[in-house]
Amino acid sequence: MIGRGLDQHIQAVRPTEDDLFPDAPPGWLVGSGSALSRSGAVTPDGRLVAQLFQVAVNPGTGEWRILRSVHATDTGTGMDPSRRRQWVEAGVAQALGAALSEPLPTAARVPRTEIACTRAADSPGAQAMRESPFDPVAPALANALRDATGIRFTELPLTRDRIWLALHEKQTRRSARTRDIATPTRAELALLTDFQVP
């Protein structure tokens, strides 16, 4: 069962029609994506962790920006809030570095992350954070990029070049299909002009 508090928080941070990407540069593709992870799955009381990203992608260059980052986690009870924030932000930064193949991502790539700490009804109490903030970051980022571009990215790193190439290939395929449908070849035109209705 998904922790009720996590599920409610993820629903609360999803963009509404009135609040869709106010910070997106004009002409950029926008999207949001999330991922849910159960950290410590080897034990029955593994922590639920969720990450949500809103992104903007420049279709001409492949450059992308994180517009919003939200991390929700079941921390149980008893953890110092300032240490929890530091741990989550460090985990998100480390995971972004892995998703980008950058050992330490630049400050411009690491967004301020909104953090929602909840306690699931079946939570056993205080829980160690370990690597739990790391787990859902790359899948949530890939899901947000898919929502923005319509392209499923299944390999890391999620670099500007990889995104631009995928967008370029998508446009080339679309152009080829449109050209095939809209513009007949000379041979097809010859067949049409030679065809006579009895």
Side-chain angles (χ1 to χ4, degrees), residues 174-190 192:
R174 184 180 304 146
S175 296
R177 280 195 309 259
T178 304
R179 185 177 59 247
D180 289 344
I181 294 169
T183 310
T185 64
R186 288 184 183 191
E188 291 169 330
L189 286 175
L192 289 174

Side-chain angles (χ1 to χ4, degrees), residues 4-198:
R4 190 174 179 90
L6 282 176
D7 188 46
Q8 290 172 346
H9 185 74
I10 289 298
Q11 293 306 317
V13 299
R14 286 208 177 274
T16 64
E17 291 298 320
D18 299 330
D19 183 36
L20 281 178
F21 315 105
D23 300 328
W28 286 37
L29 307 171
V30 293
S32 65
S34 60
L36 182 68
S37 170
R38 182 176 287 277
S39 177
V42 294
T43 63
D45 61 345
R47 167 196 345 273
L48 288 168
V49 183
Q51 178 71 43
L52 177 129
F53 285 116
Q54 291 179 345
V55 299
V57 179
N58 182 331
T61 65
E63 177 186 355
W64 57 272
R65 296 181 190 163
I66 296 172
L67 303 175
R68 186 176 186 196
S69 171
V70 179
H71 188 89
T73 184
D74 172 15
T75 56
T77 58
M79 189 171 191
D80 175 21
S82 64
R83 292 187 101 185
R84 181 175 47 223
R85 168 166 286 290
Q86 292 168 355
W87 198 270
V88 169
E89 287 180 342
V92 171
Q94 182 183 17
L96 282 172
L100 300 169
S101 274
E102 298 174 5
L104 292 172
T106 62
R109 285 281 207 199
V110 179
R112 172 145 174 82
T113 300
E114 299 170 42
I115 299 171
C117 296
T118 62
R119 181 163 186 229
D122 58 350
S123 179
Q127 298 184 43
M129 294 292 285
R130 295 187 302 274
E131 291 85 20
S132 61
F134 189 97
D135 298 338
V137 171
L141 186 55
N143 287 340
L145 290 169
R146 179 179 190 219
D147 187 45
T149 64
I151 300 167
R152 169 69 68 190
F153 294 93
T154 58
E155 295 179 27
L156 298 178
L158 297 169
T159 62
R160 172 183 178 162
D161 293 341
R162 178 169 280 164
I163 292 168
W164 179 85
L165 184 60
L167 286 167
H168 180 70
E169 288 173 352
K170 179 181 176 183
Q171 183 61 36
T172 302
R173 283 191 307 271
R174 184 180 304 146
S175 296
R177 280 195 309 259
T178 304
R179 185 177 59 247
D180 289 344
I181 294 169
T183 310
T185 64
R186 288 184 183 191
E188 291 169 330
L189 286 175
L191 286 173
L192 289 174
T193 56
D194 291 342
F195 183 73
Q196 295 178 1
V197 178

